[in-house]
């Protein structure tokens, strides 16, 4: 009894002494009592519930939004009515979730023309519209709605080329030019012009008439040597001809002296002979000279 067994260990070694790498048991911390859910549950990843950068309010709000059914309102007004946090804190939490990819807001135009904002919850940021492997066949994609055929939009009409402008656009000259343009269709039915085209071309024709071109010469310059094929836009062709073949300004000529005035015949009050003179003269030249000689005698 007084002799110790040399083969026996001096003291019993604990499990921690035999395995120094095994962590020691902690007496504090959470203990889970888990029961398997069969209804009314949602799967949320630890990347959200244990996110290192999101605030506690943002994590809780993200879990709440992921647990809601599709179509539930998640705007700031609805969330403020549901929770005690104010509008500012809830708006900041939504911006946190949106910044880390857990929420996405998209604007859509409804059939009535109204613009609405749709909030899309992403349980795995960076992976859009990926369905979980449930073993069920993927649903067939819904064919896109057919839009009613839209009427073709009218193509913007190209402006007509510029035409010359008369130096003195008198109303009579412009009226004569308009009458000339409206009469071109009698020479060629393809030269039927609209009111707007006629108004645009009239100053060009008036410039030709102002430069002493006769109406017949203007008409010939506009209607001669027309192409045989149909004219797509006759007003553009006429505008080009009015500009390209514009006659030169006529030389300045001195005005001719006015013709002498021819007075009507009248009878002389002295000799009763006929003479021509203004109405202020009552005697012929001979009677006037004779009367002057008599008055000058002493």
């Amino acid at each position: 009894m007084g002799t110790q067994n040399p083969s026996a260990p001096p003291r019993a070694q604990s499990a921690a002494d035999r395995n120094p790498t095994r962590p020691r048991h902690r007496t504090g911390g959470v203990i889970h009592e888990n029961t398997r859910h069969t209804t009314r549950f949602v799967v949320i990843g630890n990347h959200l519930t244990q996110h290192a950068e999101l605030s506690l309010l943002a994590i809780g709000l993200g879990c709440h939004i992921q647990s809601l059914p599709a179509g539930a309102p998640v705007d700031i007004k609805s969330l403020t009515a549901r929770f005690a946090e104010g509008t500012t804190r809830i708006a900041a939490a939504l911006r946190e979730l949106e910044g880390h990819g857990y929420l996405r807001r998209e604007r859509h135009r409804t059939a009535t023309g109204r613009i609405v904002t749709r909030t899309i919850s992403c349980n795995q940021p960076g992976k859009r519209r990926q369905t979980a492997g449930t073993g069920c066949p993927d649903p067939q994609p819904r064919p896109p709605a057919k839009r009613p055929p839209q009427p073709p939009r009218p193509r913007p009409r190209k402006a007509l080329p510029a035409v010359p402008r008369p130096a003195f656009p008198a109303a009579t000259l412009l009226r004569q030019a308009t009458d000339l343009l409206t009469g071109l269709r009698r020479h060629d039915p393809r030269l039927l012009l609209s009111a707007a085209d006629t108004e645009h071309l009239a100053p060009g024709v008036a410039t030709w008439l102002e430069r002493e071109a006769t109406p017949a010469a203007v008409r010939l310059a506009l209607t001669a040597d027309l192409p045989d094929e149909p004219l797509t836009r006759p007003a553009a062709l006429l505008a080009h001809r009015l500009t390209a073949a514009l006659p030169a300004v006529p030389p300045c000529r001195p005005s001719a002296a006015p013709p002498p005035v021819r007075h009507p015949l009248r009878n002389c009050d002295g000799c009763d002979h006929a003479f021509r003179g203004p109405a202020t003269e009552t005697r012929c030249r001979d009677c006037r000279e004779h009367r002057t000689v008599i008055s000058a005698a002493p």
Side-chain angles (χ1 to χ4, degrees):
M1 294 296 295
T3 305
Q4 294 183 355
N5 188 358
S7 63
R11 61 183 178 86
Q13 295 182 355
S14 63
D17 294 336
R18 293 193 302 269
N19 189 7
T21 60
R22 182 176 180 180
R24 296 179 179 271
H25 178 69
R26 295 179 181 179
T27 58
V30 65
I31 299 174
H32 294 281
E33 239 180 52
N34 294 333
T35 304
R36 184 178 179 83
H37 291 283
T38 57
T39 58
R40 294 179 58 82
F41 70 95
V42 62
V43 178
I44 299 177
N46 287 340
H47 53 81
L48 173 59
T49 58
Q50 299 178 12
H51 203 284
E53 299 179 8
L54 289 176
S55 63
L56 183 61
L57 178 58
I59 293 174
L61 191 58
C63 295
H64 172 73
I65 293 175
Q66 290 192 20
S67 67
L68 294 176
V74 290
D75 56 287
I76 297 178
K77 184 177 180 181
S78 302
L79 294 174
T80 304
R82 170 65 175 79
F83 299 103
E85 285 75 9
T87 305
T88 304
R89 296 186 62 191
I90 289 180
L94 289 174
R95 286 195 296 270
E96 288 186 58
L97 294 172
E98 189 174 5
H100 287 83
Y102 289 98
L103 283 184
R104 192 169 70 250
R105 302 181 188 183
E106 296 179 354
R107 284 191 164 191
H108 296 271
R109 186 182 297 273
T110 62
T112 59
R114 182 183 176 187
I115 298 178
V116 297
T117 302
R118 294 179 180 175
T119 303
I120 302 173
S121 174
C122 307
N123 65 344
Q124 294 189 36
K127 299 181 179 180
R128 292 190 177 186
R129 304 184 182 276
Q130 291 187 355
T131 57
T134 58
C136 300
D138 294 336
Q140 296 295 329
R142 182 178 298 178
K146 293 184 178 180
R147 295 184 178 181
Q150 300 293 333
R153 294 183 179 180
R155 298 178 62 182
R157 193 177 184 184
K158 188 177 179 180
L160 289 173
V163 295
R165 298 282 171 174
F168 302 98
T172 306
L173 198 65
L174 291 174
R175 190 180 308 111
Q176 187 179 3
T178 302
D179 295 341
L180 190 149
L181 288 169
T182 54
L184 293 179
R185 54 188 169 185
R186 300 188 184 94
H187 299 269
D188 193 326
R190 296 176 298 173
L191 298 180
L192 177 63
L193 303 175
S194 65
D197 293 342
T198 303
E199 184 180 0
H200 179 81
L201 298 174
V205 177
T207 306
W208 281 57
L209 298 176
E210 186 183 53
R211 297 188 179 189
E212 299 182 1
T214 62
V218 179
R219 190 179 300 108
L220 180 63
L222 297 179
T223 58
D225 299 329
L226 291 176
D228 297 333
E229 60 268 12
L231 299 179
T232 306
R233 201 175 183 191
L237 174 63
L238 297 180
H240 171 73
R241 290 192 171 189
L242 287 173
T243 305
L246 180 66
V249 180
C252 182
R253 302 184 181 90
S255 56
V261 181
R262 187 177 181 81
H263 297 291
L265 288 173
R266 64 182 66 253
N267 291 335
C268 176
D269 292 344
C271 62
D272 201 26
H273 288 171
F275 74 99
R276 294 183 183 275
T280 57
E281 297 291 342
T282 59
R283 296 177 180 270
C284 63
R285 184 176 59 181
D286 294 339
C287 291
R288 287 197 305 270
E289 292 177 354
H290 180 68
R291 191 173 182 178
T292 304
V293 172
I294 293 176
S295 60

